[in-house]
């Protein structure tokens, strides 16, 4: 709250991306939010665990908690060591130095043609929910059943939200719109995310490349502010998959221009642009055009 009062609107907007720049006058260092620590910290020294399907095949909550715990501890140790030596991972190539992990990948395998099926746990929403929750609690430093910790060990990220399980068949993921009825959404695709939010208390969630019933997930107010925040009372922040915020305009053609896409994403509940800055670069123009507000920017900045 105090930082938001001191930072200018331009400074706040600049922070809403993976490669967040420093705010020198406020003593805020640059930080790289992108760390793909999915089944191990993405550095050469780290322990690598089996890929998602191997972890899912264990059917073992306790071991999954221990896997998350080990990855979280190694991520924190890596970050502490790097910052001690003056390296805060500002370079995007230093993927794996930070303490914001883009894991777990807990989408369900609903189509065997998906090229990344080996990266996720299961096709079953119940098993997926149980394993995801334990991984997140282990990584973030929470006990298997305890309340959230006083301090986060790392900030985990449940991805990709939602109804996302394809690469290029029947159409590429950047243009795909999943047709999902209400029952299938709530019984199949949302339980893993609800467990991640409600029981595991995950720090952030990544919205996916696809649209659902014609609405891009990163620009869907019912999916982001509606379900995550209003229904589930989740206080965390939402990051887009790489350039998915910009793709509200670029691939889904949901908006006529990038200024509109910037406003649609922010108004829906987006907080951080994964990838580049094409969307957030238009937030000032969106404010000037009365498509969104400074208050919405500040809300995303504080999250």
């Amino acid at each position: 709250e105090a930082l938001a009062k001191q930072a200018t609107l331009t400074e706040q907007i600049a922070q809403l991306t993976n490669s967040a720049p420093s705010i020198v006058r406020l003593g805020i260092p640059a930080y790289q939010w992108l760390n793909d620590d999915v089944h191990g910290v993405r550095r050469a020294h780290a322990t690598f665990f089996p890929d998602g399907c191997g972890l899912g095949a264990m059917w073992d909550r306790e071991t999954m908690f221990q896997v998350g715990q080990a990855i979280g501890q190694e991520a924190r140790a890596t970050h502490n060591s790097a910052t001690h030596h003056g390296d805060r991972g500002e370079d995007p190539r230093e993927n794996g130095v930070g303490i914001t992990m883009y894991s777990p990948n807990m989408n369900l395998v609903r189509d065997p043609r998906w090229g990344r099926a080996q990266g996720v746990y299961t096709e079953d929403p119940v098993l997926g929910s149980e394993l995801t929750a334990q991984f997140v609690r282990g990584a973030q430093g929470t006990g298997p059943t305890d309340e959230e910790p006083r301090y986060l060990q790392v900030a985990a990220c449940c991805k990709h939200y939602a109804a996302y399980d394809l690469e290029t068949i029947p159409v590429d993921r950047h243009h795909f719109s999943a047709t999902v009825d209400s029952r299938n959404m709530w019984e199949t695709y949302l339980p893993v995310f609800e467990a991640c939010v409600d029981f595991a208390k995950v720090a952030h969630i990544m919205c996916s490349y696809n649209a659902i019933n014609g609405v891009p997930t990163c620009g869907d107010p019912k999916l982001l502010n509606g379900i995550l925040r209003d229904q589930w009372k989740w206080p965390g922040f939402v990051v887009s998959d790489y350039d998915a915020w910009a793709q509200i305009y670029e691939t889904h053609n949901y908006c006529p221009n990038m200024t509109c896409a910037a406003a649609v994403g922010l108004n829906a509940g987006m907080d951080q642009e994964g990838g580049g800055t094409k969307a957030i670069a238009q937030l000032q123009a969106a404010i000037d055009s009365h498509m969104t507000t400074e208050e919405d920017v500040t809300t995303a900045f504080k999250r």
Side-chain angles (χ1 to χ4, degrees), residues 16-18 102 239-245 270 272-276:
L16 307 183
T17 186
N18 286 154
Y102 282 177
V239 59
S240 73
D241 205 340
Y242 212 91
D243 291 334
W245 189 346
M270 283 296 312
Q272 187 181 82
E273 182 173 5

Side-chain angles (χ1 to χ4, degrees), residues 107-175:
N107 292 117
L108 302 178
V109 182
R110 306 299 290 177
D111 189 329
R113 298 171 296 178
W114 186 21
R116 304 190 190 208
Q118 78 278 8
V120 298
Y121 305 140
T122 179
E123 63 180 348
D124 177 62
V126 176
L127 177 61
S129 298
E130 294 288 339
L131 297 181
T132 293
Q134 290 303 321
F135 179 95
V136 170
R137 292 180 75 86
Q140 294 192 163
T142 314
T145 58
D146 299 333
E147 293 302 310
E148 54 191 305
R150 184 177 180 186
Y151 301 108
L152 284 175
Q153 179 168 255
V154 298
C157 176
C158 284
K159 63 180 188 180
H160 309 81
Y161 186 64
Y164 173 82
D165 63 348
L166 82 164
E167 202 73 17
T168 58
I169 301 172
V171 64
D172 76 82
R173 57 190 175 150
H174 305 281
H175 295 82

Side-chain angles (χ1 to χ4, degrees), residues 43-283:
R43 309 302 291 174
H45 65 266
T47 304
F48 267 62
F49 294 91
D51 216 338
C53 58
L55 295 174
M58 298 185 304
W59 289 70
D60 190 328
R61 297 185 189 92
E62 183 178 350
T63 301
M64 185 62 89
F65 175 84
Q66 293 170 348
V67 169
Q69 188 177 53
I71 295 173
Q73 289 171 349
E74 290 190 7
R76 171 62 73 169
T78 299
H79 179 73
N80 288 352
S81 176
T83 54
H84 178 72
H85 292 91
D87 179 6
R88 300 190 65 88
E90 296 95 334
D91 190 327
R93 292 171 295 181
E94 293 191 276
N95 190 326
V97 172
I99 50 173
T100 43
M101 299 175 12
Y102 282 177
S103 63
N105 183 354
M106 21 69 76
N107 292 117
L108 302 178
V109 182
R110 306 299 290 177
D111 189 329
R113 298 171 296 178
W114 186 21
R116 304 190 190 208
Q118 78 278 8
V120 298
Y121 305 140
T122 179
E123 63 180 348
D124 177 62
V126 176
L127 177 61
S129 298
E130 294 288 339
L131 297 181
T132 293
Q134 290 303 321
F135 179 95
V136 170
R137 292 180 75 86
Q140 294 192 163
T142 314
T145 58
D146 299 333
E147 293 302 310
E148 54 191 305
R150 184 177 180 186
Y151 301 108
L152 284 175
Q153 179 168 255
V154 298
C157 176
C158 284
K159 63 180 188 180
H160 309 81
Y161 186 64
Y164 173 82
D165 63 348
L166 82 164
E167 202 73 17
T168 58
I169 301 172
V171 64
D172 76 82
R173 57 190 175 150
H174 305 281
H175 295 82
F176 180 68
S177 179
T179 301
V180 187
D181 61 34
S182 181
R183 179 174 180 178
N184 214 19
M185 193 70 177
W186 283 98
E187 292 185 358
T188 302
Y189 293 107
L190 291 183
V192 287
F193 287 97
E194 185 172 15
C196 195
V197 165
D198 187 49
F199 177 64
K201 314 295 184 188
V202 75
H204 59 310
I205 281 178
M206 180 183 289
C207 57
S208 51
Y209 283 123
N210 59 290
I212 298 176
N213 299 329
V215 183
T217 65
C218 295
D220 189 340
K222 294 180 180 178
L223 198 62
L224 303 184
N225 281 337
I227 294 174
L228 290 177
R229 297 189 171 112
D230 295 341
Q231 288 189 243
W232 293 344
K233 309 302 179 185
W234 179 64
F237 70 96
V238 177
V239 59
S240 73
D241 205 340
Y242 212 91
D243 291 334
W245 189 346
Q247 289 174 9
I248 293 173
Y249 160 61
E250 290 182 328
T251 61
H252 291 291
N253 298 313
Y254 190 72
C255 275
N257 52 54
M258 192 63 76
T259 302
C260 166
V264 164
L266 188 70
N267 294 342
M270 283 296 312
D271 300 302
Q272 187 181 82
E273 182 173 5
T277 59
K278 289 182 285 188
I280 65 167
Q282 295 301 314
L283 283 175

